[in-house]
Amino acid sequence: MTNIPFQADSFVQFPTGRVNLEDIHAIFKTMPYELDYVNAADQYIWYSPNPRRDDERLNHSVLGCHPKQVVPMVKKVLSLLHSGEKDMVESSQVMDGHRTLIRYYAIRNAAGDYLGALQVTEDVEHICQLGEQHTFEHGIVEGQVVDEATTASIMDHQNDDKDSSKRQRSHRKPGAPVCDGFTYL
């Protein structure tokens, strides 16, 4: 058991299954991205376990937790989510020298009322580098693991009879942005 005061046998019953509180905490701690939850009053009320984070922002206005130069952007994001004009807003940034994708999701109840926003922050540097190098540590071709396989060799092997340029275009949505050789779908 962790040092967090979980009550024995406490769990959350979801429509898709039941998970105890200690496991929920471990799941959030294991995810390779950070989650922040801001309530309908735009106050930080929760964030996923992360040793680099501080508790000082909990129960404070989200606007007071950002540098002044980004407050207008934060206000705009919150306005779009509150109003229902958008259900998701995303922003790419460089943080600590790493390409980072931040997504803000409107959380709504069954009636569509705004409950808050979930911010998902993910370091995508490794993903971008894989795309730029066209290399994976392991690939699977016809059920066999292939070390140091390239995306092109996997695609060529799976689709020997198709033109590779057509295959690459078919995996991209029309107008999807390409960042440093990596296509975001």
Side-chain angles (χ1 to χ4, degrees):
M1 189 83 158
T2 67
N3 60 359
I4 296 175
F6 293 116
Q7 291 185 339
D9 300 323
S10 295
F11 64 90
V12 176
Q13 181 69 49
F14 296 100
T16 55
R18 173 181 145 153
V19 184
N20 73 43
L21 295 180
E22 185 176 16
D23 288 348
I24 290 171
H25 179 75
I27 290 168
F28 286 130
K29 190 175 175 181
T30 302
M31 287 196 269
Y33 30 80
E34 297 176 14
L35 304 175
D36 296 288
Y37 186 65
V38 176
N39 67 13
D42 298 332
Q43 291 185 321
Y44 273 111
I45 61 168
W46 177 84
Y47 61 91
S48 59
N50 183 322
R52 297 181 310 267
R53 290 312 210 30
D54 59 48
D55 293 343
E56 292 179 17
R57 65 183 163 170
L58 287 179
N59 299 312
H60 287 86
S61 168
V62 68
L63 297 177
C65 299
H66 285 84
K68 288 183 182 182
Q69 68 267 25
V70 299
V71 168
M73 187 269 311
V74 174
K75 284 182 179 179
K76 180 65 175 172
V77 167
L78 291 171
S79 173
L80 292 168
L81 298 177
H82 273 273
S83 71
E85 187 175 336
K86 297 277 186 177
D87 285 321
M88 191 271 292
V89 177
E90 57 189 347
S91 170
S92 57
Q93 300 177 15
V94 176
M95 297 172 69
D96 298 324
H98 291 252
R99 288 172 279 191
T100 304
L101 180 62
I102 303 173
R103 291 184 177 137
Y104 306 86
Y105 295 93
I107 305 300
R108 303 186 193 286
N109 65 15
D113 301 318
Y114 181 79
L115 301 175
L118 179 67
Q119 176 182 324
V120 180
T121 305
E122 182 176 7
D123 180 335
V124 294
E125 186 66 33
H126 181 69
I127 296 167
C128 288
Q129 289 175 358
L130 284 175
E132 290 162 0
Q133 297 166 4
H134 303 288
T135 302
F136 293 94
E137 288 182 28
H138 299 285
I140 298 179
V141 178
E142 294 181 357
Q144 297 179 353
V145 175
V146 179
D147 290 333
E148 298 297 317
T150 65
T151 55
S153 69
I154 291 171
M155 292 173 67
D156 288 343
H157 185 76
Q158 290 175 341
N159 300 299
D160 288 332
D161 59 335
K162 294 183 181 177
D163 179 291
S164 66
S165 64
K166 288 180 185 176
R167 282 194 310 282
Q168 288 177 330
R169 283 196 307 269
S170 71
H171 290 3
R172 258 184 83 211
K173 291 181 182 178
V178 176
C179 172
D180 298 328
F182 185 80
T183 303
Y184 292 90
L185 303 177

